[in-house]
Amino acid sequence: MQIVSWNVNGLNACVKKKGFETVEEMLPDVICCQEIKAKTEPVVIDGYCYYYNPARQEKYSGTLLMSIDEPLEITKGIGNEDFDCEGRVITADMGDFYIVNTYVPNSQRNLERHFSRY
């Protein structure tokens, strides 16, 4: 099993610039992308199942999980709307294992923007 994880810093720009050509040649079973910054859901590589979790805010964070085999179940988020609105987590139940695609927020200010809510 081959899994690729990649912070694309803008999915649409990456697709437009043919940034996935090298990944496509690898033929991974699962591709996890972070920081997709996209509301649209383009087909990136033919033959994959696509699971998008975009942020509610335009051009911000978001994750994408692509897999050759269809997962048994997909869960978006962690069950906390304060965090889930940013589209930072997708979990795929693949039967024998789980894949958790996570885009972790910048912690330069010790996550003050998240913990200041509580």
Side-chain angles (χ1 to χ4, degrees), residues 12-54:
N12 291 324
C14 193
V15 169
K16 184 178 177 180
K17 294 178 183 177
K18 301 184 190 261
F20 280 90
E21 286 181 350
T22 301
V23 174
E24 187 173 7
E25 291 171 9
M26 297 167 67
L27 297 173
D29 299 285
V30 178
I31 304 168
C32 297
C33 297
Q34 304 85 37
E35 202 173 4
I36 63 170
K37 299 180 179 180
K39 292 282 187 190
T40 61
E41 299 182 356
V43 172
V44 180
I45 302 172
D46 289 329
Y48 283 82
C49 302
Y50 290 82
Y51 305 95
Y52 284 87
N53 191 12

Side-chain angles (χ1 to χ4, degrees), residues 2 9 11 15 37 47 49 54-56 58 71 73 85 89 97-98 104:
Q2 186 176 29
N9 192 21
L11 180 65
V15 169
K37 299 180 179 180
C49 302
R56 205 175 297 142
E58 191 76 25
E73 183 177 2
C85 65
V89 180
F97 61 94
Y98 290 86
V104 180

Side-chain angles (χ1 to χ4, degrees), residues 53-56 60-62 76-89 103 105 111-118:
N53 191 12
R56 205 175 297 142
Y60 186 73
S61 68
K76 297 177 181 181
I78 60 172
N80 181 325
E81 185 55 31
D82 286 337
F83 299 106
D84 292 346
C85 65
E86 295 185 2
R88 293 181 180 270
V89 180
Y103 174 40
L111 299 179
E112 131 188 346
R113 70 187 180 92
H114 288 295
F115 293 118
S116 65
R117 296 179 191 173
Y118 302 100

